[in-house]
Amino acid sequence: MDRSTLRGALAALRRTVAGPDYRRVRLPLGWLRSRPRATAALRTLGLLALLGLTLITAQFLLDSRRLPVATAWVIAILAVAPLPLLLTRPLLAWRIMFVGQLFGTFNRRPTDDWPWSPTQILVIVVVLTTVAARVDRAVLAWVGLFSLLPVWIFVPPRNQVGITLLFVALLLVGDLVRHNLLARRALAEQAELSELEQARRGVLEERTRIAREMHDVVAHHMSMIAVQAETAPYRLSAVPEPARAEFVAIADSARAALTDMRRLLGVLRSESEDPQTAPQPGLAELPALVAAAQRAGMTVTLSTDIPAEPSAPVGLAAYRIVQEGLANAARHAAGAAVRVTVRELAGGLAVRVVNSGEGSPAGPDARGGGQGLTGMRERASALGGTCVAGPTSDGGYAVEALLPGDREGGTP
């Protein structure tokens, strides 16, 4: 026998004699939780059954063994005590049963085929079968060996072989039940993993399909816009400098949209759920955003009063809200003056995008169907802030958001 096998056997022996027990088994009796009366009735019946078995065992010992009353009651309690512990403490139940095996032979008659009372024999059968279905094989080997010792010592020789075979059969049946349950559990876990894998593949395939559709539709059109905006000044004669600047702004916006689109498509196609490490825009990029809008022909003024840069999520949310506000103003109030204000308040960061009522109203194709306002509200709500939008008194439109003012180094 090599050292590893010997160490494993000794570890199993230590656990069998005085080691930690196995975890309890929860029976599928959830329906009892909603029926307290049924639970109380079952507990009462169980206690009465245990008390009845104890009384029967004690009376048997008093009549057949002529034991003192105290001794008979101690042995009777040892005989019945393992039963309520089988589900919660199987090893402890077996240890009590083994002690009962030893003490249950007191004052036995030489002519008895069994040195134990009928109740104790029944308990031994139940405990051995249940424990065999709960413990590892190494521990089970020690349990079987210790359980057979009283048989070889106290049982008459003519019955030792039969009782030994009976105990071995009980241990084998319990072990087969345990391995059957383990196999079923492993099969159920494998089936669950297969379902999760199939679901994950389905999600990935759907994300890939969405990414492909977005690339074929949106990215293609944005590429065409960028190309046409870049070549338009060369195809047209006598293009004024302001118009040329607007074409350049359109091309830059289209290329920026393509970059964001490619990043989004990469996320959709990727199977990994790791956080994206690409830099995200923040308040520092607001001047460039406003400059791009001005090059596109919009009249935009920016006013910021931020003593310290907010955290990345807050800065990104503020940037996206301003970006969407400018896009809405360009779509629905072309030519109107737009003012962007970002300032610090006691409760956080205030973002306001307001356009005057002097712009041209949106055409039928530009009205409705967008998700810009919903997206702004969702961004603010995700950070614990608020976002409201509505018409102003002069006929314009305003978007106002209040975001939490947490900084990278603390709160204001």
Side-chain angles (χ1 to χ4, degrees):
M1 181 183 294
D2 56 6
R3 292 185 178 180
S4 61
T5 303
L6 180 60
R7 285 196 297 267
L10 293 178
L13 175 60
R14 286 194 297 270
R15 183 167 190 180
T16 303
V17 175
D21 216 318
Y22 289 80
R23 63 181 182 180
R24 63 180 300 173
V25 173
R26 295 185 179 274
L27 295 177
L29 300 177
W31 58 275
L32 284 177
R33 298 177 183 175
S34 59
R35 295 173 174 83
R37 292 184 178 179
T39 303
L42 288 178
R43 288 177 178 174
T44 303
L45 290 176
L47 291 176
L48 291 176
L50 293 176
L51 180 59
L53 289 175
T54 307
L55 288 173
I56 293 173
T57 306
Q59 189 64 42
F60 174 85
L61 295 174
L62 290 172
D63 294 341
S64 63
R65 303 285 179 84
R66 305 298 179 184
L67 293 173
V69 175
T71 305
W73 272 100
V74 170
I75 296 176
I77 292 174
L78 285 175
V80 179
L83 293 178
L85 298 173
L86 282 176
L87 296 179
T88 57
R89 305 287 298 277
L91 275 182
L92 178 60
W94 173 81
R95 292 163 188 162
I96 297 175
M97 184 214 77
F98 178 71
V99 175
Q101 271 187 289
L102 298 177
F103 286 94
T105 60
F106 279 177
N107 224 17
R108 73 189 188 283
R109 293 175 297 186
T111 57
D112 291 341
D113 293 333
W114 289 78
W116 304 290
S117 66
T119 302
Q120 196 166 10
I121 294 172
L122 176 63
V123 171
I124 290 173
V125 170
V126 173
V127 170
L128 285 180
T129 307
T130 305
V131 171
R134 295 289 313 279
V135 303
D136 301 326
R137 281 185 172 173
V139 175
L140 181 61
W142 287 110
V143 167
L145 180 60
F146 280 113
S147 300
L148 288 174
L149 285 178
V151 175
W152 298 333
I153 296 173
F154 300 112
V155 174
R158 63 181 181 274
N159 293 329
Q160 285 181 355
V161 176
I163 296 177
T164 299
L165 292 178
L166 174 62
F167 280 19
V168 171
L170 294 176
L171 296 175
L172 290 177
V173 168
D175 186 64
L176 289 176
V177 171
R178 175 177 178 271
H179 279 271
N180 185 34
L181 293 176
L182 291 177
R184 290 187 178 183
R185 187 180 305 168
L187 184 61
E189 292 177 355
Q190 186 63 34
E192 183 178 357
L193 290 177
S194 298
E195 292 178 359
L196 292 175
E197 180 65 19
Q198 291 178 359
R200 186 186 63 81
R201 289 182 179 179
V203 171
L204 183 59
E205 291 175 359
E206 182 65 16
R207 289 166 58 177
T208 303
R209 186 189 66 81
I210 294 173
R212 184 172 58 251
E213 293 294 331
M214 292 180 65
H215 179 272
D216 292 345
V217 178
V218 181
H220 171 73
H221 290 301
M222 295 304 299
S223 299
M224 294 301 298
I225 292 174
V227 172
Q228 292 175 356
E230 288 178 343
T231 60
Y234 302 99
R235 290 183 284 104
L236 301 176
S237 58
V239 178
E241 188 59 31
R244 186 181 297 273
E246 288 190 22
F247 280 120
V248 173
I250 293 172
D252 291 342
S253 299
R255 281 192 293 269
L258 277 174
T259 302
D260 292 338
M261 180 65 66
R262 292 190 183 99
R263 185 182 298 117
L264 177 60
L265 295 181
V267 172
L268 287 175
R269 291 180 183 273
S270 175
E271 188 176 357
S272 172
E273 296 182 359
D274 295 337
Q276 298 298 309
T277 57
Q280 296 292 329
L283 294 185
E285 284 72 30
L286 282 183
L289 178 64
V290 171
Q294 292 171 343
R295 289 195 301 271
M298 297 182 65
T299 304
V300 186
T301 56
L302 174 63
S303 175
T304 59
D305 181 17
I306 306 299
E309 184 72 16
S311 63
V314 175
L316 175 61
Y319 180 89
R320 294 302 186 194
I321 290 173
V322 173
Q323 185 182 44
E324 185 62 30
L326 293 176
N328 285 342
R331 266 196 313 266
H332 301 286
V338 183
R339 181 173 181 81
V340 177
T341 305
V342 182
R343 59 192 179 93
E344 189 177 36
L345 295 179
L349 195 69
V351 180
R352 190 169 190 266
V353 181
V354 57
N355 62 267
S356 64
E358 302 171 354
S360 303
D365 294 337
R367 294 183 181 274
Q371 300 294 322
L373 294 178
T374 301
M376 287 189 283
R377 294 190 183 100
E378 289 176 349
R379 286 184 180 275
S381 178
L383 297 174
T386 59
C387 181
V388 295
T392 60
S393 58
D394 62 350
Y397 201 83
V399 175
E400 298 179 342
L402 179 62
L403 306 176
D406 56 328
R407 302 264 185 265
E408 296 291 352
T411 56

